[in-house]
Amino acid sequence: AFEGMRQEGISRFVFDVRENSGGSLEVAASVLDKLLPDGALVSYRDKDGNEEVLYESNGAGTEVSSAVVLVGSGTAAEGELFAAAISDAGYGKIVGSTTAGDGGYRRFYRLNDGSAIQLNVGTLLTGSGTSFDGTGVKLDFTVELASEQKRDMTTLTDDNDTQPNKALEILVTAQ
């Protein structure tokens, strides 16, 4: 999809990861690889301060000229990583409200009885080494939703959803 958009000359994007509470780290890195240039995408830091690169870009990214990532209190883990990575790479701004601050890196360990346990073994970092664990993603523009909208996002419409409206305003004025 990104390649087709690039061929059509589209280089400005709004990504909505509000209420994205995480998912697959591999998928998040794969999407970032399609957007960002060559280099580290995702790393983690263990309790001893050692850092390890988990995913790197192959340099074939779309190289977004400008993007805005929408976030909210339900944005956590891989959703936060995606937003922070776009921002850290200098390709976008973050709009919305404070995110969950769930930047733990977890690994599964298989037990002798066939079950498994998932343990937090470190802190996720963007390619440039930024952590959002415990703090949330640094916002460029704070745009809060009304209480009712936060409780039930199905009430959002093009007219009353102020966050994407702010994103479009930013993209239109971006150089």
Side-chain angles (χ1 to χ4, degrees), residues 2 5 27 53 65 83 96 101 104 133 136 164:
F2 288 116
M5 287 186 269
V27 170
V53 175
S65 70
D133 191 44

Side-chain angles (χ1 to χ4, degrees), residues 65-163:
S65 70
S66 182
V68 176
V69 184
L70 302 178
V71 298
S73 60
T75 307
E78 289 79 6
E80 288 176 291
L81 175 69
F82 178 84
I86 295 288
S87 177
D88 279 3
Y91 286 91
K93 301 291 185 189
I94 310 297
V95 171
S97 56
T98 304
T99 63
D102 178 14
Y105 176 57
R106 298 159 189 89
R107 284 195 173 152
F108 282 97
Y109 295 93
R110 184 156 310 277
L111 303 177
N112 292 337
D113 66 359
S115 63
I117 186 168
Q118 184 181 33
L119 298 175
N120 192 353
V121 297
T123 302
L124 285 172
L125 305 171
T126 65
S128 64
T130 300
S131 169
F132 49 87
D133 191 44
T135 60
V137 175
K138 182 181 177 297
L139 300 172
D140 293 298
F141 299 92
T142 301
V143 180
E144 296 287 344
L145 295 175
S147 297
E148 180 180 320
Q149 292 172 318
K150 287 181 188 178
R151 279 193 306 278
D152 182 7
M153 291 191 73
T154 63
T155 64
L156 295 175
T157 67
D158 290 344
D159 293 330
N160 71 8
D161 192 349
T162 55
Q163 292 173 337

